[in-house]
Amino acid sequence: MSINSPEQFERLRGCGMIVGKALRAMVAEVRAGITTAELCELGSRVLAAHGARSSPPMVYGFPGDVCISVNDEVVHGIPGDRVIQPGDLVKLDLTAEKDGYHTDSAVSIEVPPPSADGKARELARSGKRWMRRGRGIAQRTLAGRWSAKCGGAGFMWCGNLGATA
């Protein structure tokens, strides 16, 4: 997707803000006893209330509006009747479209109370640590060159558009 004007950037940012609202609403409801289908329905309602729709079903035929993975499921879990348990690590991954603009964000939450072995917490910390390292390396090497090249061609680099939970 190429963004060529401030108006286009604002539309993209607006979609990112909707994704952020949906993720924050779902995070607030992550608890033992809720199903992944219920979390998905909540995210779907927030998108619809703001005139957005989930991208994966529309683009790829994915069977849910939110990819919800639990514990050892790495990514793109299909929402269903799975009941969230205390100590679970729940990953919410949401991609949405509004007015032809698509944005994507994800968040991981450890369900209280934490597991006695601390595996979910350590997995989340480890993932975050390695993501930061990888992002730092990419920013120092690729992003600077890529951004300069794109900027010289009349494009702009779009970082986080406000969708983090």
Side-chain angles (χ1 to χ4, degrees), residues 61-133:
F62 188 79
D65 285 347
V66 183
C67 299
I68 304 176
S69 306
V70 181
N71 296 329
D72 59 348
E73 299 168 350
V74 179
V75 291
H76 303 150
I78 299 170
D81 58 4
R82 183 171 186 166
V83 178
I84 302 301
Q85 302 297 318
D88 280 350
L89 182 63
V90 179
K91 285 87 68 185
L92 305 170
D93 182 354
L94 180 59
T95 304
E97 180 275 338
K98 183 172 182 178
D99 301 326
Y101 295 87
H102 296 260
T103 56
D104 179 20
S105 191
V107 63
S108 296
I109 309 99
E110 184 179 18
V111 180
S115 61
D117 63 12
K119 285 185 179 180
R121 186 176 320 109
E122 182 52 34
L123 176 60
R125 284 182 188 157
S126 178
K128 189 179 266 186
R129 181 173 50 249
W130 284 103
M131 182 197 69
R132 285 184 184 142
R133 286 181 184 175

Side-chain angles (χ1 to χ4, degrees), residues 123-163:
L123 176 60
R125 284 182 188 157
S126 178
K128 189 179 266 186
R129 181 173 50 249
W130 284 103
M131 182 197 69
R132 285 184 184 142
R133 286 181 184 175
R135 185 169 54 191
I137 291 167
Q139 286 173 338
R140 287 189 304 276
T141 58
L142 301 175
R145 287 182 284 197
W146 184 82
S147 185
K149 188 170 205 110
C150 289
F155 299 103
M156 73 172 110
W157 168 262
C158 295
N160 185 331
L161 300 175

Side-chain angles (χ1 to χ4, degrees), residues 4 10 17-18 24 31-32 38 41 44 52-53 55-56 59-60 71 81 108 117 135-137 140 144-145:
N4 300 306
E10 284 306 313
M17 297 301 287
I18 295 167
R24 285 188 294 277
R31 65 185 183 291
E38 291 169 318
E41 177 58 30
S44 300
R53 57 191 177 155
S55 298
V59 177
Y60 308 111
N71 296 329
D81 58 4
S108 296
D117 63 12
R135 185 169 54 191
I137 291 167
R140 287 189 304 276
R145 287 182 284 197

